[in-house]
Amino acid sequence: MKRVWAIYFVVLVSTILLVSPIAYLISYALSEQHAGDAISTLLTQYYQVKRNPLITSLLSLFPFLLLAIIQGIAQKRKTHVKTCTAMVTGGSLAIFVLMMWANLTYWPNFLPEVQYPGFPHGLELVIVPLFFAPIGMLLGVLLGWFAGRNTLKQ
């Protein structure tokens, strides 16, 4: 079961620490403001309160908490390790992909020198981790459960 939790923590940490900066750098590279100073503008974003890439990704902890609860229940029910691994992989990758999608939608509107689009832009970083990511995580867990059970039958 150590491998299961290792996968969980690797994807959790990479979602929190890497998704926002990677999405920012991709958005900056594809924008009209691309002047070769993407890293320096990213570093200045970390000093801001509202558009800090670390703060914007903290809400993704919620679906990962739900995934940990599901994984704990599966372990108490003596679910096979391969099935648990498939469940965690499916659920955590679904959260990762949905958070990447949300950040790729968010950052093009909030890059430096881009005019603030006003309300309701920016809500995707709240709606996705609190609504879409848990649903996607559940679908990923179910697919992982079916895949894990099918590999045990063969």
Side-chain angles (χ1 to χ4, degrees), residues 67-126:
L67 180 59
I69 291 170
I70 290 171
Q71 186 59 35
I73 291 170
Q75 285 181 353
K76 285 191 183 224
R77 297 192 70 200
K78 306 287 186 207
T79 305
H80 196 270
V81 176
K82 286 187 178 185
T83 305
C84 287
T85 303
M87 289 169 57
V88 164
T89 303
S92 59
L93 287 180
I95 297 168
F96 182 87
V97 168
L98 286 169
M99 289 306 297
M100 182 61 85
W101 168 72
N103 278 280
L104 286 173
T105 305
Y106 173 81
W107 282 114
N109 296 322
F110 292 97
L111 289 171
E113 300 175 11
V114 173
Q115 185 174 356
Y116 177 68
F119 186 78
H121 295 287
L123 287 177
E124 57 266 14
L125 290 182
V126 176

Side-chain angles (χ1 to χ4, degrees), residues 6 8 16 18 20-21 33-34 40-42 63 83 105 110-113 121-122 136-137 139 141 143:
Y8 173 84
I16 291 174
L18 297 177
S20 286
Q33 290 87 13
H34 179 64
S40 63
T41 59
L42 175 63
T83 305
T105 305
F110 292 97
L111 289 171
E113 300 175 11
H121 295 287
M137 181 266 308
L139 291 174
V141 166
L143 287 173

